[in-house]
Short mmCIF file of all heavy atoms in Angstrom, two decimals:
data_model
loop_
_atom_site.label_atom_id
_atom_site.label_comp_id
_atom_site.label_asym_id
_atom_site.label_seq_id
_atom_site.Cartn_x
_atom_site.Cartn_y
_atom_site.Cartn_z
N LYS H 576 -6.95 53.39 65.42
CA LYS H 576 -7.95 54.46 65.43
C LYS H 576 -8.78 54.42 64.15
O LYS H 576 -9.99 54.57 64.19
CB LYS H 576 -7.25 55.82 65.58
CG LYS H 576 -6.58 56.01 66.94
CD LYS H 576 -5.83 57.34 66.99
CE LYS H 576 -5.16 57.53 68.35
NZ LYS H 576 -4.36 58.78 68.40
N ASP H 577 -8.11 54.23 63.03
CA ASP H 577 -8.80 54.07 61.75
C ASP H 577 -8.80 52.59 61.41
O ASP H 577 -7.80 52.04 60.94
CB ASP H 577 -8.08 54.89 60.66
CG ASP H 577 -8.78 54.77 59.31
OD1 ASP H 577 -9.82 54.09 59.24
OD2 ASP H 577 -8.28 55.35 58.32
N ARG H 578 -9.93 51.91 61.61
CA ARG H 578 -10.00 50.46 61.48
C ARG H 578 -10.47 50.01 60.10
O ARG H 578 -10.55 48.81 59.84
CB ARG H 578 -10.93 49.87 62.55
CG ARG H 578 -10.61 50.33 63.96
CD ARG H 578 -11.33 49.46 64.97
NE ARG H 578 -10.86 48.11 64.91
CZ ARG H 578 -11.64 47.05 65.10
NH1 ARG H 578 -12.93 47.21 65.32
NH2 ARG H 578 -11.14 45.84 65.03
N THR H 579 -10.82 50.93 59.24
CA THR H 579 -11.42 50.57 57.95
C THR H 579 -10.47 50.71 56.77
O THR H 579 -10.78 50.26 55.68
CB THR H 579 -12.66 51.44 57.68
OG1 THR H 579 -12.28 52.82 57.65
CG2 THR H 579 -13.71 51.24 58.77
N SER H 580 -9.33 51.33 56.97
CA SER H 580 -8.41 51.62 55.87
C SER H 580 -7.22 50.68 55.91
O SER H 580 -6.52 50.59 56.92
CB SER H 580 -7.94 53.08 55.94
OG SER H 580 -6.86 53.30 55.05
N LEU H 581 -6.97 49.99 54.79
CA LEU H 581 -5.80 49.12 54.71
C LEU H 581 -4.52 49.92 54.81
O LEU H 581 -3.56 49.50 55.47
CB LEU H 581 -5.84 48.33 53.39
CG LEU H 581 -4.62 47.44 53.11
CD1 LEU H 581 -4.43 46.39 54.19
CD2 LEU H 581 -4.75 46.77 51.74
N SER H 582 -4.49 51.08 54.20
CA SER H 582 -3.26 51.90 54.22
C SER H 582 -2.91 52.33 55.64
O SER H 582 -1.73 52.35 56.02
CB SER H 582 -3.42 53.12 53.31
OG SER H 582 -4.52 53.91 53.73
N SER H 583 -3.92 52.66 56.45
CA SER H 583 -3.63 53.08 57.83
C SER H 583 -3.10 51.91 58.65
O SER H 583 -2.19 52.07 59.47
CB SER H 583 -4.88 53.67 58.48
OG SER H 583 -5.86 52.67 58.66
N LEU H 584 -3.66 50.71 58.43
CA LEU H 584 -3.16 49.54 59.14
C LEU H 584 -1.75 49.18 58.69
O LEU H 584 -0.91 48.78 59.50
CB LEU H 584 -4.10 48.35 58.93
CG LEU H 584 -5.51 48.44 59.51
CD1 LEU H 584 -6.20 47.09 59.45
CD2 LEU H 584 -5.49 48.96 60.93
N GLN H 585 -1.48 49.32 57.41
CA GLN H 585 -0.13 49.03 56.92
C GLN H 585 0.89 50.02 57.48
O GLN H 585 2.01 49.63 57.83
CB GLN H 585 -0.11 49.07 55.39
CG GLN H 585 -0.81 47.88 54.74
CD GLN H 585 -0.89 47.98 53.24
OE1 GLN H 585 -0.92 49.09 52.68
NE2 GLN H 585 -0.94 46.86 52.57
N ALA H 586 0.48 51.30 57.59
CA ALA H 586 1.38 52.30 58.17
C ALA H 586 1.66 51.98 59.64
O ALA H 586 2.81 52.08 60.11
CB ALA H 586 0.76 53.69 58.04
N LEU H 587 0.61 51.56 60.36
CA LEU H 587 0.78 51.19 61.77
C LEU H 587 1.66 49.95 61.89
O LEU H 587 2.52 49.85 62.79
CB LEU H 587 -0.60 50.95 62.38
CG LEU H 587 -0.68 50.76 63.90
CD1 LEU H 587 -0.10 51.95 64.64
CD2 LEU H 587 -2.15 50.55 64.30
N GLU H 588 1.49 49.01 60.98
CA GLU H 588 2.29 47.79 60.97
C GLU H 588 3.76 48.11 60.72
O GLU H 588 4.66 47.55 61.38
CB GLU H 588 1.75 46.85 59.89
CG GLU H 588 2.24 45.43 59.96
CD GLU H 588 1.55 44.54 58.94
OE1 GLU H 588 0.82 45.05 58.07
OE2 GLU H 588 1.75 43.32 59.01
N GLU H 589 4.03 49.02 59.79
CA GLU H 589 5.41 49.42 59.50
C GLU H 589 6.04 50.13 60.70
O GLU H 589 7.22 49.92 61.01
CB GLU H 589 5.44 50.32 58.27
CG GLU H 589 5.12 49.60 56.97
CD GLU H 589 5.06 50.54 55.78
OE1 GLU H 589 5.39 51.74 55.96
OE2 GLU H 589 4.66 50.10 54.69
N GLU H 590 5.26 50.96 61.37
CA GLU H 590 5.77 51.67 62.54
C GLU H 590 6.13 50.68 63.65
O GLU H 590 7.17 50.82 64.31
CB GLU H 590 4.70 52.66 63.02
CG GLU H 590 5.21 53.66 64.06
CD GLU H 590 4.17 54.70 64.43
OE1 GLU H 590 3.10 54.74 63.76
OE2 GLU H 590 4.39 55.45 65.39
N LEU H 591 5.29 49.69 63.85
CA LEU H 591 5.58 48.65 64.84
C LEU H 591 6.85 47.89 64.48
O LEU H 591 7.69 47.59 65.33
CB LEU H 591 4.40 47.68 64.92
CG LEU H 591 3.35 47.93 66.01
CD1 LEU H 591 2.13 47.06 65.76
CD2 LEU H 591 3.93 47.65 67.39
N SER H 592 6.99 47.57 63.20
CA SER H 592 8.16 46.82 62.75
C SER H 592 9.44 47.61 62.97
O SER H 592 10.47 47.04 63.35
CB SER H 592 8.01 46.47 61.26
OG SER H 592 6.88 45.64 61.04
N GLU H 593 9.39 48.90 62.76
CA GLU H 593 10.57 49.74 62.98
C GLU H 593 10.97 49.74 64.46
O GLU H 593 12.16 49.72 64.79
CB GLU H 593 10.29 51.16 62.51
CG GLU H 593 10.18 51.29 60.99
CD GLU H 593 9.80 52.70 60.56
OE1 GLU H 593 9.64 53.57 61.45
OE2 GLU H 593 9.64 52.93 59.35
N ILE H 594 9.98 49.76 65.34
CA ILE H 594 10.28 49.75 66.78
C ILE H 594 10.91 48.43 67.20
O ILE H 594 11.86 48.38 67.98
CB ILE H 594 8.99 50.02 67.59
CG1 ILE H 594 8.49 51.45 67.35
CG2 ILE H 594 9.23 49.78 69.08
CD1 ILE H 594 7.16 51.75 67.99
N LEU H 595 10.39 47.30 66.65
CA LEU H 595 10.85 45.97 67.07
C LEU H 595 12.10 45.51 66.33
O LEU H 595 12.73 44.54 66.76
CB LEU H 595 9.73 44.95 66.82
CG LEU H 595 8.46 45.11 67.68
CD1 LEU H 595 7.36 44.22 67.17
CD2 LEU H 595 8.78 44.78 69.14
N GLU H 596 12.44 46.17 65.25
CA GLU H 596 13.57 45.73 64.43
C GLU H 596 14.85 45.65 65.26
O GLU H 596 15.24 46.59 65.95
CB GLU H 596 13.77 46.70 63.26
CG GLU H 596 14.71 46.18 62.18
CD GLU H 596 14.10 44.99 61.45
OE1 GLU H 596 12.92 45.04 61.10
OE2 GLU H 596 14.86 44.02 61.24
N GLY H 597 15.48 44.47 65.20
CA GLY H 597 16.75 44.27 65.89
C GLY H 597 16.63 43.84 67.32
O GLY H 597 17.64 43.52 67.97
N THR H 598 15.42 43.84 67.87
CA THR H 598 15.26 43.47 69.28
C THR H 598 14.91 42.00 69.45
O THR H 598 15.25 41.39 70.46
CB THR H 598 14.17 44.33 69.95
OG1 THR H 598 12.91 44.08 69.28
CG2 THR H 598 14.51 45.82 69.83
N CYS H 599 14.18 41.44 68.51
CA CYS H 599 13.76 40.04 68.59
C CYS H 599 13.30 39.58 67.21
O CYS H 599 13.13 40.39 66.30
CB CYS H 599 12.63 39.86 69.62
SG CYS H 599 11.14 40.80 69.23
N SER H 600 13.11 38.28 67.10
CA SER H 600 12.53 37.74 65.87
C SER H 600 11.01 37.87 65.97
O SER H 600 10.42 37.44 66.96
CB SER H 600 12.94 36.27 65.70
OG SER H 600 12.24 35.68 64.62
N PHE H 601 10.39 38.45 64.95
CA PHE H 601 8.95 38.70 65.05
C PHE H 601 8.30 38.63 63.68
O PHE H 601 8.97 38.67 62.63
CB PHE H 601 8.69 40.08 65.68
CG PHE H 601 9.11 41.23 64.80
CD1 PHE H 601 8.21 41.84 63.93
CD2 PHE H 601 10.42 41.70 64.81
CE1 PHE H 601 8.60 42.88 63.12
CE2 PHE H 601 10.82 42.75 64.00
CZ PHE H 601 9.91 43.35 63.15
N GLU H 602 6.98 38.50 63.70
CA GLU H 602 6.19 38.62 62.48
C GLU H 602 4.92 39.40 62.80
O GLU H 602 4.44 39.37 63.93
CB GLU H 602 5.83 37.26 61.90
CG GLU H 602 5.02 36.35 62.81
CD GLU H 602 4.68 35.03 62.14
OE1 GLU H 602 4.14 35.07 61.02
OE2 GLU H 602 4.96 33.98 62.74
N THR H 603 4.43 40.12 61.80
CA THR H 603 3.25 40.95 62.00
C THR H 603 2.15 40.54 61.04
O THR H 603 2.41 40.03 59.95
CB THR H 603 3.58 42.44 61.78
OG1 THR H 603 3.98 42.63 60.42
CG2 THR H 603 4.68 42.91 62.70
N GLU H 604 0.91 40.74 61.47
CA GLU H 604 -0.26 40.49 60.63
C GLU H 604 -1.21 41.67 60.80
O GLU H 604 -1.27 42.27 61.88
CB GLU H 604 -0.99 39.22 61.06
CG GLU H 604 -0.14 37.97 61.13
CD GLU H 604 -0.87 36.84 61.84
OE1 GLU H 604 -1.87 36.34 61.28
OE2 GLU H 604 -0.46 36.50 62.96
N ASN H 605 -1.94 42.00 59.73
CA ASN H 605 -3.02 42.96 59.92
C ASN H 605 -4.31 42.38 59.37
O ASN H 605 -4.32 41.61 58.43
CB ASN H 605 -2.67 44.34 59.35
CG ASN H 605 -2.95 44.50 57.87
OD1 ASN H 605 -4.09 44.34 57.43
ND2 ASN H 605 -1.91 44.80 57.10
N ARG H 606 -5.39 42.74 60.03
CA ARG H 606 -6.69 42.09 59.82
C ARG H 606 -7.18 42.23 58.38
O ARG H 606 -7.62 41.25 57.76
CB ARG H 606 -7.72 42.69 60.80
CG ARG H 606 -9.13 42.18 60.63
CD ARG H 606 -10.04 42.79 61.68
NE ARG H 606 -9.92 44.23 61.75
CZ ARG H 606 -10.54 45.08 60.90
NH1 ARG H 606 -11.30 44.62 59.95
NH2 ARG H 606 -10.39 46.39 61.05
N ILE H 607 -7.12 43.43 57.83
CA ILE H 607 -7.66 43.65 56.48
C ILE H 607 -6.81 42.92 55.45
O ILE H 607 -7.33 42.31 54.51
CB ILE H 607 -7.73 45.16 56.18
CG1 ILE H 607 -8.69 45.84 57.16
CG2 ILE H 607 -8.16 45.40 54.74
CD1 ILE H 607 -8.78 47.35 56.99
N GLN H 608 -5.48 42.96 55.63
CA GLN H 608 -4.60 42.28 54.68
C GLN H 608 -4.80 40.76 54.75
O GLN H 608 -4.79 40.08 53.73
CB GLN H 608 -3.14 42.62 54.98
CG GLN H 608 -2.15 42.06 53.98
CD GLN H 608 -2.34 42.64 52.60
OE1 GLN H 608 -2.24 43.85 52.41
NE2 GLN H 608 -2.63 41.80 51.62
N GLU H 609 -5.01 40.25 55.96
CA GLU H 609 -5.21 38.80 56.09
C GLU H 609 -6.50 38.37 55.41
O GLU H 609 -6.56 37.31 54.78
CB GLU H 609 -5.23 38.41 57.57
CG GLU H 609 -5.28 36.91 57.78
CD GLU H 609 -4.78 36.49 59.14
OE1 GLU H 609 -3.96 37.21 59.71
OE2 GLU H 609 -5.22 35.44 59.61
N LYS H 610 -7.54 39.20 55.52
CA LYS H 610 -8.80 38.89 54.82
C LYS H 610 -8.58 38.90 53.32
O LYS H 610 -9.06 38.01 52.59
CB LYS H 610 -9.87 39.93 55.21
CG LYS H 610 -11.21 39.73 54.54
CD LYS H 610 -11.90 38.47 55.01
CE LYS H 610 -13.38 38.42 54.63
NZ LYS H 610 -13.62 38.39 53.19
N ALA H 611 -7.82 39.90 52.83
CA ALA H 611 -7.55 39.97 51.39
C ALA H 611 -6.72 38.78 50.93
O ALA H 611 -6.96 38.22 49.85
CB ALA H 611 -6.83 41.28 51.08
N ASP H 612 -5.73 38.38 51.76
CA ASP H 612 -4.90 37.22 51.40
C ASP H 612 -5.75 35.94 51.36
O ASP H 612 -5.58 35.10 50.48
CB ASP H 612 -3.76 37.05 52.41
CG ASP H 612 -2.72 38.15 52.29
OD1 ASP H 612 -2.68 38.81 51.23
OD2 ASP H 612 -1.96 38.36 53.26
N ASN H 613 -6.65 35.81 52.34
CA ASN H 613 -7.51 34.63 52.36
C ASN H 613 -8.41 34.59 51.13
O ASN H 613 -8.57 33.54 50.49
CB ASN H 613 -8.37 34.66 53.63
CG ASN H 613 -9.29 33.46 53.74
OD1 ASN H 613 -8.86 32.36 54.05
ND2 ASN H 613 -10.56 33.67 53.49
N ASP H 614 -8.98 35.75 50.77
CA ASP H 614 -9.82 35.80 49.58
C ASP H 614 -9.02 35.49 48.32
O ASP H 614 -9.50 34.81 47.41
CB ASP H 614 -10.46 37.19 49.44
CG ASP H 614 -11.48 37.46 50.54
OD1 ASP H 614 -11.92 36.48 51.19
OD2 ASP H 614 -11.82 38.64 50.76
N ARG H 615 -7.77 35.98 48.29
CA ARG H 615 -6.92 35.74 47.11
C ARG H 615 -6.58 34.25 47.01
O ARG H 615 -6.58 33.69 45.91
CB ARG H 615 -5.65 36.57 47.23
CG ARG H 615 -4.80 36.56 45.96
CD ARG H 615 -3.57 37.42 46.11
NE ARG H 615 -3.92 38.82 46.26
CZ ARG H 615 -3.83 39.50 47.40
NH1 ARG H 615 -3.39 38.91 48.50
NH2 ARG H 615 -4.16 40.77 47.45
N MET H 616 -6.30 33.62 48.14
CA MET H 616 -6.01 32.19 48.11
C MET H 616 -7.22 31.38 47.66
O MET H 616 -7.11 30.44 46.88
CB MET H 616 -5.55 31.72 49.49
CG MET H 616 -4.16 32.20 49.88
SD MET H 616 -3.66 31.63 51.51
CE MET H 616 -3.56 29.86 51.23
N LEU H 617 -8.41 31.76 48.15
CA LEU H 617 -9.62 31.08 47.73
C LEU H 617 -9.84 31.23 46.23
O LEU H 617 -10.19 30.28 45.53
CB LEU H 617 -10.83 31.62 48.49
CG LEU H 617 -11.10 31.04 49.88
CD1 LEU H 617 -12.30 31.73 50.51
CD2 LEU H 617 -11.32 29.55 49.82
N ARG H 618 -9.59 32.45 45.73
CA ARG H 618 -9.74 32.66 44.28
C ARG H 618 -8.73 31.83 43.51
O ARG H 618 -9.04 31.31 42.43
CB ARG H 618 -9.57 34.14 43.94
CG ARG H 618 -10.74 35.01 44.35
CD ARG H 618 -10.69 36.37 43.67
NE ARG H 618 -9.50 37.11 44.03
CZ ARG H 618 -9.41 37.94 45.05
NH1 ARG H 618 -10.47 38.13 45.83
NH2 ARG H 618 -8.29 38.59 45.31
N GLY H 619 -7.52 31.70 44.06
CA GLY H 619 -6.51 30.88 43.40
C GLY H 619 -6.92 29.42 43.35
O GLY H 619 -6.79 28.76 42.31
N TYR H 620 -7.41 28.91 44.50
CA TYR H 620 -7.89 27.52 44.52
C TYR H 620 -9.04 27.33 43.54
O TYR H 620 -9.11 26.32 42.82
CB TYR H 620 -8.35 27.13 45.93
CG TYR H 620 -7.24 27.01 46.94
CD1 TYR H 620 -7.40 27.47 48.25
CD2 TYR H 620 -6.03 26.43 46.61
CE1 TYR H 620 -6.38 27.36 49.18
CE2 TYR H 620 -5.01 26.31 47.54
CZ TYR H 620 -5.19 26.78 48.82
OH TYR H 620 -4.19 26.66 49.75
N MET H 621 -9.96 28.29 43.52
CA MET H 621 -11.11 28.19 42.62
C MET H 621 -10.66 28.26 41.17
O MET H 621 -11.20 27.54 40.31
CB MET H 621 -12.12 29.29 42.93
CG MET H 621 -12.82 29.15 44.27
SD MET H 621 -13.92 30.53 44.67
CE MET H 621 -15.18 30.31 43.44
N LEU H 622 -9.68 29.12 40.88
CA LEU H 622 -9.18 29.22 39.52
C LEU H 622 -8.54 27.91 39.08
O LEU H 622 -8.77 27.43 37.97
CB LEU H 622 -8.17 30.37 39.42
CG LEU H 622 -7.52 30.60 38.06
CD1 LEU H 622 -8.57 31.02 37.03
CD2 LEU H 622 -6.42 31.66 38.15
N PHE H 623 -7.74 27.32 39.98
CA PHE H 623 -7.05 26.08 39.63
C PHE H 623 -8.04 24.94 39.43
O PHE H 623 -8.00 24.24 38.41
CB PHE H 623 -6.04 25.73 40.73
CG PHE H 623 -5.26 24.48 40.46
CD1 PHE H 623 -4.24 24.48 39.52
CD2 PHE H 623 -5.54 23.31 41.14
CE1 PHE H 623 -3.52 23.33 39.26
CE2 PHE H 623 -4.83 22.15 40.90
CZ PHE H 623 -3.81 22.16 39.95
N THR H 624 -8.92 24.74 40.41
CA THR H 624 -9.88 23.64 40.28
C THR H 624 -10.88 23.91 39.17
O THR H 624 -11.31 22.98 38.47
CB THR H 624 -10.62 23.42 41.61
OG1 THR H 624 -11.18 24.66 42.07
CG2 THR H 624 -9.70 22.89 42.67
N GLY H 625 -11.24 25.19 38.98
CA GLY H 625 -12.13 25.53 37.87
C GLY H 625 -11.48 25.23 36.54
O GLY H 625 -12.15 24.78 35.60
N ALA H 626 -10.17 25.50 36.45
CA ALA H 626 -9.46 25.19 35.21
C ALA H 626 -9.45 23.70 34.93
O ALA H 626 -9.60 23.26 33.79
CB ALA H 626 -8.03 25.73 35.28
N LEU H 627 -9.27 22.89 35.99
CA LEU H 627 -9.32 21.43 35.80
C LEU H 627 -10.69 20.98 35.31
O LEU H 627 -10.80 20.13 34.42
CB LEU H 627 -8.98 20.72 37.11
CG LEU H 627 -7.53 20.82 37.59
CD1 LEU H 627 -7.36 20.09 38.91
CD2 LEU H 627 -6.58 20.23 36.56
N CYS H 628 -11.75 21.57 35.89
CA CYS H 628 -13.10 21.22 35.44
C CYS H 628 -13.32 21.67 34.01
O CYS H 628 -13.96 20.97 33.21
CB CYS H 628 -14.14 21.88 36.36
SG CYS H 628 -14.11 21.26 38.06
N ALA H 629 -12.79 22.85 33.67
CA ALA H 629 -12.92 23.33 32.29
C ALA H 629 -12.18 22.42 31.33
O ALA H 629 -12.65 22.16 30.21
CB ALA H 629 -12.40 24.76 32.19
N LEU H 630 -11.01 21.91 31.76
CA LEU H 630 -10.26 20.99 30.89
C LEU H 630 -11.03 19.69 30.69
O LEU H 630 -11.04 19.12 29.59
CB LEU H 630 -8.89 20.70 31.51
CG LEU H 630 -7.88 21.86 31.46
CD1 LEU H 630 -6.60 21.47 32.16
CD2 LEU H 630 -7.58 22.27 30.03
N LEU H 631 -11.70 19.22 31.76
CA LEU H 631 -12.55 18.04 31.60
C LEU H 631 -13.66 18.32 30.60
O LEU H 631 -13.99 17.47 29.75
CB LEU H 631 -13.16 17.64 32.94
CG LEU H 631 -12.31 16.80 33.88
CD1 LEU H 631 -13.00 16.66 35.23
CD2 LEU H 631 -12.04 15.43 33.29
N ALA H 632 -14.25 19.51 30.70
CA ALA H 632 -15.31 19.87 29.75
C ALA H 632 -14.75 19.95 28.33
O ALA H 632 -15.42 19.54 27.37
CB ALA H 632 -15.94 21.21 30.14
N VAL H 633 -13.53 20.48 28.19
CA VAL H 633 -12.91 20.57 26.87
C VAL H 633 -12.71 19.18 26.27
O VAL H 633 -12.93 18.97 25.07
CB VAL H 633 -11.56 21.33 26.96
CG1 VAL H 633 -10.76 21.17 25.68
CG2 VAL H 633 -11.82 22.80 27.22
N ILE H 634 -12.31 18.23 27.10
CA ILE H 634 -12.14 16.85 26.60
C ILE H 634 -13.48 16.33 26.07
O ILE H 634 -13.56 15.76 24.98
CB ILE H 634 -11.61 15.94 27.72
CG1 ILE H 634 -10.18 16.32 28.08
CG2 ILE H 634 -11.66 14.48 27.29
CD1 ILE H 634 -9.62 15.55 29.27
N GLY H 635 -14.54 16.53 26.86
CA GLY H 635 -15.85 16.07 26.42
C GLY H 635 -16.31 16.78 25.17
O GLY H 635 -16.84 16.16 24.23
N LEU H 636 -16.12 18.10 25.13
CA LEU H 636 -16.54 18.86 23.95
C LEU H 636 -15.72 18.50 22.73
O LEU H 636 -16.24 18.45 21.61
CB LEU H 636 -16.43 20.36 24.25
CG LEU H 636 -17.42 20.90 25.29
CD1 LEU H 636 -17.08 22.33 25.66
CD2 LEU H 636 -18.85 20.81 24.78
N ALA H 637 -14.42 18.23 22.94
CA ALA H 637 -13.59 17.81 21.82
C ALA H 637 -14.09 16.50 21.24
O ALA H 637 -14.09 16.29 20.02
CB ALA H 637 -12.13 17.66 22.27
#
Side-chain angles (χ1 to χ4, degrees):
K576 293 177 180 177
D577 181 2
R578 308 194 64 216
T579 60
S580 169
L581 175 60
S582 59
S583 67
L584 295 191
Q585 288 175 332
L587 189 57
E588 194 174 9
E589 290 176 6
E590 192 175 352
L591 265 168
S592 298
E593 289 176 1
I594 293 174
L595 293 169
E596 193 67 45
T598 62
C599 61
S600 172
F601 68 93
E602 60 178 308
T603 63
E604 306 167 68
N605 85 60
R606 176 178 51 81
I607 298 177
Q608 185 64 60
E609 186 158 333
K610 179 68 166 64
D612 290 340
N613 181 75
D614 292 343
R615 189 179 295 108
M616 288 180 66
L617 277 178
R618 287 195 299 270
Y620 291 140
M621 292 175 67
L622 179 64
F623 181 74
T624 52
L627 290 179
C628 295
L630 288 177
L631 277 173
V633 167
I634 292 174
L636 292 171

